[in-house]
Amino acid sequence: MTRDQDNDGLITLPSGGPPDPKQIGSARIEARIAVGPYSRIYRAVDLERGRTVVVKVLAAETDTEVAGRFLDAAQRLTGLVDPHVVEVLGSGMEGTTPWVMLEYLDGTDLDAGSRRELTMIPATAIRVVLDAAAGLHAALARGVLPGDVRPRHLLRHHGVTKVTGFGLSPPFQTAQGRRLRGHPAYVAPEVAQGAKPTAQSDLYSLGATLFELVVGRPPFGAAGNDALVACAVHEPPPTFAGVGVEVPEPLEELLSRLIAKAPERRFADPAALLLAGTAMLPALRRLVLTDPAVVVEDGRQLGLRLPLPEGDTLLGRVPGEGLAIDDARVSRRHAIIHRRGDELEVEDLGSRNGIRVNGVAARTHKLCPGDRIAIGDTVLRIDGDRPPPTVELPAAVPASPVRGAFGDVEIAHGPAQQAGAAALSMPGGASTAARLHILGRLAPLLASRPSARLLELKAEVLGVLGAALGADQSAFVRVDRGQPVFEARSGNEAKVLSCVLPALERALPGQMALVSSVRVGQDDRWGVMLAPVTEGGVVAAYLVLVRHQSSFDDAALSTLEGACALLSLRSPTLPPRE
């Protein structure tokens, strides 16, 4: 999609779909900013207030439940003025289409794809979380429960985080047909199992957001919806230490409480989180790493970085003295940053426009990494001179998108190793008698029905392999455009597919065959073996075998790979891709 940028720096999308309205309520529409699956967002001018606003209009075909929740949240929040909630100015119906008018802010959301830093230092991340908790607390007092807390719904504006996205969380459907609100990467375990969202499930989502802000990815990575839901329910919560990121012990404890599996182990409500998190801030102020620095985060000198030595650093417009800021609204000697060891403090020097720290006007303010100082039209960020540790994963096999889904022992064979197993089905290929016996049972089956599609032979093929390799259950998973296709014919089969999907997500990127294990409950673990059936070098399906209380071995995997190679010879009989 082509996008043009207007003079104000907003992104205006080209016209398409239904025509844009010229006026909604008291707002005169000026430009379309964005289009989503459920809404269109416009920049507009409120003719009654004489100010620039944002108008969000729901699509005409929006689910009535979503539309009702959207309007109810807007009406409850109208009139709420809170520094941590995007202000709702009004709402209503344009014909049969709901709309809401919001304050216009020039900030950016905290989604990893849009924020400048893929990761945040702990002090910044905890400030974001505490701001969000304050916003959730204010909304909860109005009877509004977001049900979809995530980085995309947190807006950073002049160093302050505001919560948005209330009431508009598109549902998604799991393999079992359950419709869930929110995003599967942040959904709480009890919500994933069908419970109604609560304040504590929102705190789980906020904990998942905290993990992403520090690490750079959600707790269980970027995987399919059902894999993420399965991990939320069955996998142990991740830790910062478990992915190689060093944080203060109190922050690790805070994360463990936020993303605890059991709701009763989390904080009771956002107010309790605020109390616990605020108590951490004094300790975080001492996390300055060797030489701190001040970075221009917004302004004409975007990206300019100046180390803060021991002593005083001037902020102003004097060339060669401290940080010379190219901003007409900054005084020649506007403010000064004092550094005394690990302690940092900013002081306004009587400037005309003053300073704001994290969105609040201040004469003096003690600083810690991640704080933002607004000075004139420029925003400065306090930073350490070393970035957070990066996450390094083993390079022997492609990185799992759902780390922690597997046991300590795992066998992974890439395509090259599978090619060796393919020789089992070719003349002259070395093999044990047992493997040849299994393949020998498959060959007559395939030859007896040469025109049958592989899906039609699924039961017979899985029956032969399951019995020969001692599987308790088996499944055939078709792959379309790199994604597994769920075709469960019973609740039990759907459960099997949902539980083994993390292993499929693990195997698909590298077209691997795996012997692994997946967690089915808090204590139960299944052994899983799977191997691909290819078509023109592309994975077209996976054969999956499951043992409930034991695991498969390397020899079994080689046998399964040989069988899949034999089935790949019939790849033209695979169902056509839609």
Side-chain angles (χ1 to χ4, degrees):
M1 178 182 292
T2 303
R3 301 193 292 184
D4 301 316
Q5 194 160 359
D6 64 25
N7 294 331
D8 292 327
L10 293 172
I11 299 298
T12 303
L13 303 183
S15 59
D20 295 327
K22 296 187 180 299
Q23 185 165 332
I24 296 177
S26 62
R28 184 182 69 239
I29 303 301
E30 291 194 333
R32 194 194 321 168
I33 299 174
V35 177
Y38 281 83
S39 64
R40 290 188 174 199
I41 301 175
Y42 298 95
R43 186 190 63 190
V45 174
D46 181 6
L47 300 177
E48 292 182 357
R49 297 176 176 86
R51 60 183 284 191
T52 301
V53 296
V54 170
V55 177
K56 181 180 289 188
V57 181
L58 291 197
E61 62 275 12
T62 301
D63 184 283
T64 55
E65 177 189 350
V66 174
R69 191 168 63 244
F70 173 77
L71 271 183
D72 179 67
Q75 291 164 1
R76 290 173 182 267
L77 293 176
T78 298
L80 172 63
V81 180
D82 186 276
H84 303 299
V85 178
V86 173
E87 186 179 359
V88 179
L89 302 174
S91 60
M93 299 287 292
E94 188 72 19
T96 59
T97 304
W99 59 268
V100 62
M101 184 191 301
L102 307 167
E103 66 174 320
Y104 173 82
L105 299 171
D106 58 356
T108 181
D109 68 59
L110 292 178
D111 183 67
S114 63
R115 68 177 187 263
R116 290 192 183 98
E117 321 106 89
L118 288 179
T119 60
M120 290 183 173
I121 57 178
T124 303
I126 190 60
R127 285 192 177 277
V128 168
V129 168
L130 294 182
D131 283 357
L136 295 177
H137 176 67
L140 199 59
R142 290 287 186 106
V144 176
L145 191 70
D148 188 17
V149 178
R150 51 186 163 121
R152 185 173 292 278
H153 290 160
L154 299 180
L155 185 70
R156 193 81 165 154
H157 176 69
H158 294 316
V160 176
T161 301
K162 293 174 176 278
V163 182
T164 186
F166 290 102
L168 186 61
S169 50
F172 66 94
Q173 187 163 315
T174 67
Q176 290 84 1
R178 184 181 297 131
R179 282 166 58 87
L180 303 178
R181 282 176 58 188
H183 189 287
Y186 311 92
V187 68
E190 66 274 13
V191 175
Q193 293 177 297
K196 291 184 178 180
T198 64
Q200 287 176 308
S201 60
D202 275 351
L203 291 182
Y204 177 96
S205 301
L206 188 56
T209 296
L210 170 62
F211 184 90
E212 179 174 350
L213 294 178
V214 175
V215 175
R217 63 168 176 81
F220 298 110
N225 288 355
D226 288 287
L228 292 172
V229 169
C231 286
V233 174
H234 301 301
E235 291 308 308
T239 63
F240 291 129
V243 294
V245 176
E246 296 181 10
V247 300
E249 185 176 347
L251 186 57
E252 188 79 81
E253 293 174 356
L254 187 77
L255 175 71
S256 68
R257 286 198 63 183
L258 284 172
I259 61 173
K261 293 293 184 188
E264 60 271 16
R265 292 190 57 204
R266 301 174 206 148
F267 296 100
D269 51 36
L273 168 60
L274 276 170
L275 288 174
T278 302
M280 294 175 54
L281 291 180
L284 291 176
R285 287 198 180 99
R286 303 194 62 82
L287 291 180
V288 177
L289 302 176
T290 58
D291 288 325
V294 60
V295 181
V296 178
E297 186 174 77
D298 195 4
R300 292 182 179 179
Q301 298 156 295
L302 181 65
L304 178 64
R305 179 187 185 91
L306 181 71
L308 294 172
E310 183 75 20
D312 298 334
T313 300
L314 179 69
L315 305 179
R317 290 193 296 112
V318 180
E321 188 174 347
L323 180 64
I325 302 172
D326 184 11
D327 185 333
R329 296 187 65 240
V330 171
S331 302
R332 284 179 55 79
R333 287 182 169 80
H334 197 111
I336 194 167
I337 295 179
H338 306 285
R339 180 186 173 191
R340 303 291 184 267
D342 287 339
E343 296 291 337
L344 294 177
E345 184 178 36
V346 64
E347 178 187 0
D348 179 52
L349 297 179
S351 63
R352 176 179 298 180
N353 298 316
I355 61 173
R356 300 176 71 86
V357 180
N358 299 324
V360 179
R363 177 74 173 78
T364 62
H365 195 284
K366 292 206 176 282
L367 300 171
C368 66
D371 281 344
R372 265 74 171 179
I373 306 170
I375 175 170
D377 294 323
T378 302
V379 177
L380 309 175
R381 184 182 76 246
I382 301 299
D383 204 0
D385 78 335
R386 293 196 303 269
T390 56
V391 180
E392 295 184 2
L393 301 177
V397 294
S400 169
V402 279
R403 294 190 69 201
F406 311 102
D408 296 332
V409 178
E410 179 178 277
I411 302 168
H413 288 176
Q417 289 170 289
Q418 295 170 47
L424 294 175
S425 61
M426 303 296 181
S431 167
T432 65
R435 294 176 193 168
L436 282 177
H437 175 70
I438 295 174
L439 299 178
R441 292 181 58 188
L442 283 177
L445 170 63
L446 301 179
S448 65
R449 300 173 63 184
S451 60
R453 294 188 173 212
L454 188 56
L455 280 176
E456 297 172 5
L457 298 174
K458 178 180 71 171
E460 291 95 327
V461 169
L462 292 178
V464 169
L465 292 173
L469 296 173
D472 296 314
Q473 288 180 286
S474 56
F476 178 93
V477 180
R478 188 162 58 89
V479 177
D480 184 22
R481 298 177 181 89
Q483 295 296 320
V485 178
F486 274 96
E487 296 172 317
R489 290 178 171 79
S490 67
N492 183 58
E493 189 172 349
K495 178 184 177 182
V496 172
L497 292 176
S498 178
C499 290
V500 303
L501 186 57
L504 279 170
E505 296 280 356
R506 169 86 160 107
L508 275 168
Q511 299 184 13
M512 295 187 298
L514 287 180
V515 169
S516 186
S517 61
V518 296
R519 193 184 301 276
V520 180
Q522 292 299 319
D523 303 311
D524 195 14
R525 190 183 289 274
W526 288 358
V528 175
M529 179 169 63
L530 51 88
V533 180
T534 61
E535 177 184 13
V538 177
V539 175
Y542 262 91
L543 291 186
V544 181
L545 303 180
V546 174
R547 284 182 179 172
H548 291 166
Q549 299 297 334
S550 60
S551 60
F552 297 94
D553 57 22
D554 198 354
L557 182 61
S558 296
T559 301
L560 183 63
E561 289 170 332
C564 288
L566 183 62
L567 295 174
S568 294
L569 297 176
R570 292 172 55 88
S571 59
T573 66
L574 286 169
R577 296 181 181 180
E578 300 176 356

